Amino acid sequence: MRAKRRAPHPVPGALPRAVAVRVLLRILNQRAALDPALAAESKILADSRDLALGQRLVYGALRHWAALDWLANGLIDRPPAKRRAEILALLAVGLQQLWRESMPEHAVVHATVAAADLLGIPWAKGIINACLRRWLRERDEWLMQLSATPARYGLPEAWCRRLAADWPADWEAILAAQHQPPPLALRVNLSRLTRRDYLDLLEGAALPTLPPDPDWPASAVLLAAAVPVDRLPGFAEGLVSVQDAAAQFAPEALAVAPGLRVLDACAAPGGKTAHLLEATGGRLELIAVERDPGRAAMLRENLERLRLSCAIQIADAACPATWWDGRPFDRILIDAPCSASGVARRHPDIPWRRDEAGLARVEAAQAALLAALWPLLKPGGMLVYVTCALSDAENDRQIEALLAGGVPLAVSPLPAWGRARRAGRQFLPGEHGMDGFYYARLKRHLVTEPARRL
């Protein structure tokens, strides 16, 4: 009786590479969001090390995809017509490690070639092997050729053009920052302990931090390396939250104080909502509006962890007739939907999922929120408009367009954060370890008078 043939033992690292290819193709071909695509494809990765490797491969490849794709297409002399996208993506994953990571070359080539079996393209193993070994022999020549093409920036040409138009002196530095994995930024709950207290807790937990920067808000701490939240001292007890330092200026921008009536529009997942409550010991009449029920549930969960509460309305903030009780607000925070171009280093799928039509929809939504919500302000009240975007069309131009309509509002100067723009202030990605955020503050006139134009 013939013995059953055993299945070959999987090559270490092959499965995470196959998963990375599937995730990349979902994002690039179907414009799927990174997190759900990664979650859907990573279910077969039982080992935590494989899961971490698969995630690292996806993030790394997306940050440099234009360059990797250019190289992969060039290294294949005669690209096969069948399963071309998978072959090129697998080759790009291998190139990412050989080029951008300090990994043993033999192990990378071996595991990348083995991943072809798991993708159902065993006949492509010879192609992948030959191309990766060609790269190892001719690396300097290929990099010289790449440096003369727009693909050298690693990101879509349209994305680069938009940045260059708005930031002619800074766009290449912005792109360089978007290529780098960001630090893990934390917001200390200053209503419960000081930043110094929490730094001591981190030191006791052997979690190194970056030296505090004078340009950070007083609640900000940046870890030298990312860790799971369950390793953060006091996270479950509400002592700390994950939030970029640039996002932590909202309470100061709004000048919140106990007893004020405050609207937080587009509130989920609740980072700024919670921070406003923390900054005032919970003594705000805060109404948080979020139209997506799933995201509203996240908002509730975050507030519960922090032992905070506020009124939550599941509604479209741009349609006040469906949720507003008619009582005006002292403060309004519009954390507007945007292109998220300022946080692409955290979400490297964003440049590959944005198109002109989508950007136009975002800009229309921003204008609708501003137009709908400013009338809800009391005379003398203040509205703060925030985006994590870098484009002028989403930031200054939105404020200028609103004021051009003769509304009874005027720009109220902000502290000297980041960089001065015509109407607001802008943080650029990577500067002082922060993400890219824009703030503008408007104050409603005490009496009706012509609005000051910029």
Side-chain angles (χ1 to χ4, degrees):
M1 184 174 175
R2 181 177 296 177
K4 288 185 179 180
R5 185 177 180 182
R6 291 185 179 180
H9 188 75
V11 173
L15 187 56
R17 288 166 172 82
V19 166
V21 167
R22 294 191 185 107
V23 174
L24 287 166
L25 292 179
R26 278 191 182 221
I27 294 168
L28 297 163
N29 295 343
Q30 303 169 30
R31 293 197 173 174
L34 193 159
D35 288 344
L38 196 58
E41 295 291 352
S42 297
K43 293 175 182 177
I44 61 174
L45 297 177
D47 187 285
S48 60
R49 291 168 299 181
D50 282 348
L51 186 61
L53 174 58
Q55 179 173 315
R56 191 176 80 241
L57 291 170
V58 171
Y59 274 71
L62 286 173
R63 288 190 176 107
H64 303 281
W65 183 259
L68 295 170
D69 187 55
W70 185 89
L71 290 168
N73 276 281
L75 287 162
I76 297 180
D77 287 327
R78 291 183 293 278
K82 188 170 71 168
R83 310 285 290 274
R84 174 188 173 92
E86 288 154 293
I87 293 170
L88 289 171
L90 180 56
L91 181 53
V93 166
L95 289 169
Q96 161 66 17
Q97 283 203 292
L98 293 174
W99 178 19
R100 296 287 179 177
E101 298 185 27
S102 299
M103 299 287 291
E105 294 174 353
H106 173 75
V108 170
V109 173
H110 186 50
T112 305
V113 170
D117 280 327
L118 303 176
L119 291 167
I121 48 174
W123 47 268
K125 292 166 72 173
I127 298 172
I128 299 296
N129 183 65
C131 290
L132 292 179
R133 295 194 180 282
R134 182 181 181 188
W135 162 261
L136 293 174
R137 293 192 307 270
E138 304 172 6
R139 171 190 169 113
D140 291 344
E141 179 183 335
W142 281 104
L143 288 178
M144 185 177 297
Q145 293 181 49
L146 175 65
S147 68
T149 74
R152 69 186 183 275
Y153 296 113
L155 294 164
E157 288 188 50
W159 181 272
C160 298
R161 284 196 301 271
R162 283 193 294 268
L163 282 177
D166 287 323
W167 297 94
D170 302 284
W171 68 280
E172 289 186 294
I174 293 170
L175 291 178
Q178 290 177 339
H179 289 154
Q180 301 302 316
L184 180 63
L186 307 176
R187 184 188 77 244
V188 177
N189 186 344
L190 297 181
S191 69
R192 309 261 308 268
L193 74 171
T194 67
R195 177 163 63 181
R196 181 67 262 167
D197 291 337
Y198 195 72
L199 288 170
D200 291 341
L201 290 177
L202 290 170
E203 184 178 356
L207 295 175
T209 61
L210 301 179
D213 190 303
D215 288 306
W216 296 348
S219 51
V221 169
L222 270 65
L223 292 191
V227 297
V229 293
D230 58 11
R231 285 196 58 199
L232 297 174
F235 181 83
E237 295 76 23
L239 298 185
V240 70
S241 298
V242 176
Q243 187 182 40
D244 187 74
Q248 295 180 36
F249 287 99
E252 186 179 352
L254 275 175
V256 289
L260 295 180
R261 178 171 163 84
V262 179
L263 169 65
D264 183 1
C266 314
K272 296 182 182 68
T273 313
H275 198 189
L276 295 176
L277 292 166
E278 290 172 1
T280 55
R283 292 172 292 166
L284 284 180
E285 185 185 354
L286 178 59
I287 291 84
V289 179
E290 172 55 50
R291 68 178 183 178
D292 183 278
R295 287 173 59 80
M298 294 170 57
L299 168 59
R300 285 194 183 92
E301 290 171 6
N302 283 330
L303 292 179
E304 287 172 4
R305 180 182 64 82
L306 294 163
R307 304 175 192 174
L308 299 168
S309 64
C310 71
I312 298 175
Q313 295 275 6
I314 301 177
D316 184 349
C319 300
T322 65
W323 58 267
W324 185 42
D325 63 6
R327 296 167 55 212
F329 293 95
D330 298 289
R331 303 285 188 270
I332 294 176
L333 174 66
I334 301 179
D335 190 4
C338 67
S339 65
S341 52
V343 295
R345 62 183 189 157
R346 295 189 187 278
H347 307 282
D349 56 321
I350 285 171
W352 301 101
R353 297 175 51 233
R354 297 290 185 260
D355 59 17
E356 294 299 329
L359 291 172
R361 288 192 296 271
V362 161
E363 291 164 18
Q366 293 167 344
L369 282 164
L370 283 165
L373 295 179
W374 77 258
L376 279 56
L377 267 182
K378 290 179 181 178
M382 288 193 294
L383 180 152
V384 170
Y385 174 80
V386 185
T387 75
C388 54
L390 304 173
S391 71
D392 197 43
E394 296 177 79
N395 296 334
D396 271 352
R397 273 192 259 162
Q398 291 287 1
I399 303 302
E400 291 169 333
L402 178 66
L403 296 181
V407 296
L409 301 169
V411 169
S412 177
L414 288 161
W417 309 326
R419 297 175 180 231
R421 303 298 275 171
R422 296 186 307 277
R425 309 288 305 191
Q426 179 81 56
F427 297 100
L428 293 183
E431 291 185 335
H432 304 282
M434 294 189 284
D435 285 340
F437 271 79
Y438 173 86
Y439 287 83
R441 183 165 66 188
L442 301 174
K443 186 172 183 178
R444 184 162 187 173
H445 300 319
L446 289 170
V447 295
T448 302
E449 57 181 296
R452 179 175 67 84
R453 296 182 182 238
L454 292 177

